[in-house]
Amino acid sequence: MPETTFHSLVENLENYLEYQRDEGVQRMEVDRAVLAELARMPDVAPAAAVEVPVAVAIPIPEHFQSLEEIAAHVSTCRNCPLYEGRVNTVPGEGNADSPDIMFVGEGPGADEDAQGRPFVGAAGQLLTKMIDAMGYRREEVFIANIVKCRPPNNRAPLPEEMEACLPYLRQQIGLIRPRTIIGMGATAIKGLLGKTAGITRLRGTWREYEGIRLMPTFHPSYLLRDPSKKKQVWQDLQLVLKELGKEPPPREK
Ligand code: URA
């Protein structure tokens, strides 16, 4: 195609997108193949692929074959506005081969966003201690979040952000098949069970997610604000160990 025709096509497309935005359209579906083609055209990519004035929603496939495929899809995801503020996506990490435990939190904070890894900040250090106290190493469990991009100012993700992101977590759980899930905090429980009942009422009581035993407990960030709740969380973690037929290791003096 002659270059001038091509550029006028791109210009038309931009005008069209700008018009749609002015009409209030906030999201559009664009085939992945089209985006990939645009990204391969160096002199067009900045105009067409980066400065598109509306968020581009790419449908999430229903059957990912691997966690790597999910992470790759997440890394280019623009299905909710959280992509605008992210440095890195945080798909999750750990033992993906039917681990005893999968921990699910809320969403990345500043440290996680900077590193692209879940629970690596202050709450993450506490989570690592909890995992240790149970007799596991971080690499032996899987750690993920309800949303894969950092919400601004560490606010809780909005219902529509959770809805947009949950297909990733659901498919991760389907591929990982953990023996148990520990849902940490109200957002995790709402995302996994759709329950809005308070975490205070739900914690410590077994639930089920797609045939997997799920234990709700408090979020480690909450424990940092109110350490008196650690006792209850330890009770919840012990229930999980019991379910797995394990004992906590003796505490170091
Ligand atoms: N809080 C979360 O819910 N997830 C993280 O990854 C870090 C902090």
Side-chain angles (χ1 to χ4, degrees):
M1 184 187 304
E3 206 175 323
T4 44
T5 316
F6 183 73
H7 276 104
S8 76
L9 265 178
V10 171
E11 218 173 279
N12 284 346
L13 175 63
E14 280 185 322
N15 289 340
Y16 170 74
L17 290 173
E18 262 160 17
Y19 168 76
Q20 292 293 328
R21 180 195 52 191
D22 294 345
E23 287 293 303
V25 174
Q26 294 186 332
R27 184 176 287 214
M28 266 185 183
E29 292 200 354
V30 176
D31 196 286
R32 268 181 102 65
V34 173
L35 282 183
E37 259 328 290
L38 287 171
R40 283 191 325 147
M41 299 172 178
D43 54 335
V44 173
V50 180
E51 289 176 20
V52 275
V54 292
V56 176
I58 302 170
I60 300 176
E62 278 176 27
H63 300 287
F64 284 110
Q65 300 299 313
S66 67
L67 293 185
E68 290 73 25
E69 250 184 44
I70 296 178
H73 205 278
V74 165
S75 72
T76 59
C77 183
R78 290 174 164 212
N79 288 0
C80 84
L82 293 185
Y83 84 87
E84 287 166 11
R86 75 182 172 216
V87 174
N88 286 295
T89 50
V90 183
E93 66 182 22
N95 174 5
D97 185 11
S98 203
D100 281 357
I101 310 166
M102 176 164 177
F103 288 87
V104 177
E106 179 174 294
D111 296 300
E112 291 76 20
D113 178 55
Q115 295 186 39
R117 298 181 54 212
F119 282 96
V120 289
Q125 282 165 27
L126 181 53
L127 175 61
T128 305
K129 282 191 189 157
M130 287 158 53
I131 295 169
D132 263 17
M134 294 178 82
Y136 292 87
R137 284 176 291 119
R138 258 180 88 108
E139 316 81 80
E140 292 177 307
V141 302
F142 200 93
I143 305 173
N145 281 306
I146 295 290
V147 295
K148 314 299 191 193
C149 297
R150 182 190 180 197
N153 306 315
N154 297 339
R155 66 157 167 73
L158 303 172
E160 56 271 28
E161 294 160 353
M162 291 168 64
E163 217 35 65
C165 209
L166 271 167
Y168 294 123
L169 180 66
R170 291 196 186 107
Q171 291 204 52
Q172 285 178 312
I173 296 173
L175 288 165
I176 294 168
R177 297 308 301 167
R179 289 182 64 198
T180 62
I181 297 174
I182 299 181
M184 302 180 292
T187 299
I189 296 311
K190 175 139 194 298
L192 289 168
L193 300 178
K195 291 223 187 296
T196 46
I199 185 71
T200 306
R201 200 162 67 71
L202 293 175
R203 64 145 283 274
T205 61
W206 280 111
R207 308 281 149 171
E208 214 166 277
Y209 171 85
E210 300 278 325
I212 303 169
R213 304 274 271 162
L214 186 157
M215 175 57 66
T217 195
F218 292 128
H219 192 284
S221 299
Y222 180 56
L223 299 184
L224 291 174
R225 294 194 298 273
D226 183 355
S228 75
K229 296 291 186 300
K230 284 185 183 175
K231 217 190 208 162
Q232 285 165 298
V233 170
W234 182 233
Q235 285 168 3
D236 303 344
L237 301 184
Q238 283 178 289
L239 288 175
V240 175
L241 286 174
K242 191 160 176 223
E243 172 74 14
L244 292 165
K246 303 249 158 104
E247 296 265 337
R251 311 256 321 241
E252 279 176 29
K253 298 260 151 94

